Amino acid sequence: LIAKKSKNCYVFFSKRIHLQLIKKIEIEQALQNALVKNEITLVYQPQLNAQHELYGVEALVRWNNEKLGIISPEIFIPIAEKTGLMPAIGAYIMNKAMADISTLQYKMKKSFKLSINVSARQFVQLNFFEALCDCLNCYKSPYMDITIEITESLFIENVQRLRPIFKKMKEQNVSLSLDDFGTGYSSLSMLKNVPIDELKIDKSFIDFITDNKNDRAMVESIITMGKNLGMTVLAEGVETEKQVTILKNKGCDLYQGYYFSKPLTLDALEVFIGNPR
Ligand code: C2E
Ligand code: MG
Ligand code: MG
Ligand code: MG
């Protein structure tokens, strides 16, 4: 046990908590330098239509630190948000993704959608929309087709406040996708008057559609509802052929998951586009 004197009593940390604390401080410090040290990179996961043709890609961020190893975005993005690093990292991601993909699109003379994840804090930041417009102007191209993914929980908490930004996004032809749908308890009545173009059914629903008839029923309802509201419906985390067959029968529009492809480096994406599954 490690004791620390605070005011008039001693506080005891277990060694494990102490180590976790050190690790967290280490991560925070390393993250400060991650951008300048070129440790932040992007990979792209293909999204296909029911004919297995490429429809788009989702940019997914990776952080590889020489001392700490590979750290998942699920760990470091919340830390980046808390320590104020997210606007810089977010702007970097937006720039890099558009630069990578517009170059590839010109090379292949092919248009496809680029989806970019935007975190809660990033989206409500005043200069988010300006940063987005800067990128759109910088990488303007006839092939470019941008979608912003925001998670369902962010969306529910801020829908009224965000309405003006959604409207401005529409004016720039940027689409909006609701990520991790089904995990955030949005009320169905809210969905009917928001400008959502795409619904991403969360992987946790897709996981059990082959053996659980309740999950199958849920997914079927989400697909029907989304399509009736004029949205494109995408299933995320598709891992087996059986899942694809069930989803196709239910009329799902788009598919993303390891069955088709893991997230790829830009070079590997180019190969994939040349010969998709
Ligand atoms: P997400 O946006 O829901 O992304 C899907 C996650 O599921 C990705 O994990 C992807 O690699 C993984 N995945 C895709 N297909 C399969 C599959 O068939 N099986 C399994 N087991 N996993 C699959 P990743 O890349 O670790 O990202 C995790 C989360 O981190 C993302 O969830 C997103 O919320 C966040 N994130 C990733 N990149 C960014 C980014 O650039 N900006 C922001 N703000 N958040 C990001
Ligand atoms: Mg996403
Ligand atoms: Mg998702
Ligand atoms: Mg997710």
Side-chain angles (χ1 to χ4, degrees):
L1 283 173
I2 297 154
K4 179 174 171 280
K5 194 170 189 325
S6 98
K7 273 211 177 139
N8 44 20
C9 64
Y10 282 92
V11 181
F12 290 92
F13 293 109
S14 78
K15 204 165 178 186
R16 204 172 126 248
I17 290 175
H18 183 69
L19 283 176
Q20 276 175 0
L21 214 74
I22 288 178
K23 175 103 180 160
K24 209 164 156 232
I25 293 166
E26 248 181 45
I27 291 180
E28 282 178 18
Q29 280 170 354
L31 198 53
Q32 304 269 354
N33 303 313
L35 276 181
V36 286
K37 288 169 91 181
N38 269 322
E39 293 174 349
I40 306 273
T41 56
L42 290 177
V43 286
Y44 300 95
Q45 190 173 31
Q47 302 173 329
L48 294 95
N49 66 17
Q51 285 75 48
H52 297 199
E53 297 155 340
L54 183 85
Y55 182 88
V57 296
E58 177 178 8
L60 293 160
V61 68
R62 296 291 175 258
W63 178 29
N64 193 351
N65 177 267
E66 56 175 355
K67 210 168 141 226
L68 300 164
I70 294 167
I71 298 150
S72 158
E74 274 159 332
I75 307 270
F76 79 78
I77 288 197
I79 296 175
E81 290 195 319
K82 217 191 70 213
T83 52
L85 292 168
M86 202 52 216
I89 294 176
Y92 175 81
I93 290 168
M94 219 151 51
N95 252 289
K96 180 80 171 106
M98 289 196 206
D100 278 357
I101 296 305
S102 64
T103 307
L104 185 59
Q105 287 172 331
Y106 269 112
K107 193 169 164 190
M108 309 203 87
K109 298 191 173 56
K110 204 174 162 68
S111 176
F112 53 89
K113 184 187 74 155
L114 166 63
S115 283
I116 300 170
N117 292 284
V118 171
S119 72
R121 293 262 183 98
Q122 198 187 345
F123 202 93
V124 296
Q125 213 107 68
L126 280 173
N127 57 3
F128 164 75
F129 184 70
E130 274 171 43
L132 174 64
C133 287
D134 286 348
C135 289
L136 291 174
N137 283 327
C138 191
Y139 303 105
K140 203 179 240 139
S141 132
Y143 301 116
M144 195 65 105
D145 178 5
I146 304 291
T147 293
I148 297 294
E149 290 191 9
I150 59 174
T151 58
E152 191 189 9
S153 44
L154 158 73
F155 190 78
I156 305 163
E157 285 160 29
N158 300 284
V159 68
Q160 287 312 331
R161 195 150 55 102
L162 294 180
R163 230 172 247 286
I165 304 184
F166 293 150
K167 192 162 166 261
K168 286 198 272 184
M169 279 172 52
K170 273 276 134 65
E171 286 161 10
Q172 299 290 323
N173 281 320
V174 173
S175 301
L176 195 63
S177 174
L178 206 48
D179 204 354
D180 301 341
F181 185 74
T183 60
Y185 317 102
S186 48
S187 83
L188 296 183
S189 68
M190 191 201 74
L191 277 183
K192 75 181 179 199
N193 42 26
V194 287
I196 295 164
D197 305 284
E198 180 183 89
L199 217 52
K200 289 189 89 168
I201 309 174
D202 192 66
K203 179 179 182 299
S204 58
F205 289 96
I206 308 301
D207 281 344
F208 301 105
I209 51 171
T210 31
D211 352 87
N212 186 311
K213 83 178 193 317
N214 289 342
D215 282 25
R216 243 181 344 259
M218 293 286 293
V219 167
E220 182 170 313
S221 304
I222 295 173
I223 293 173
T224 307
M225 180 200 62
K227 293 184 74 157
N228 285 341
L229 290 171
M231 299 166 187
T232 306
V233 181
L234 183 150
E236 71 175 14
V238 178
E239 292 182 345
T240 67
E241 190 177 353
K242 257 190 168 163
Q243 290 172 332
V244 177
T245 307
I246 292 169
L247 289 162
K248 268 190 198 167
N249 285 332
K250 299 192 184 307
C252 185
D253 300 302
L254 301 175
Y255 303 80
Q256 178 179 353
Y258 294 176
Y259 176 70
F260 293 103
S261 172
K262 291 204 168 182
L264 304 169
T265 61
L266 188 62
D267 287 346
L269 176 64
E270 186 175 335
V271 175
F272 181 90
I273 292 175
N275 42 11
R277 181 169 186 142

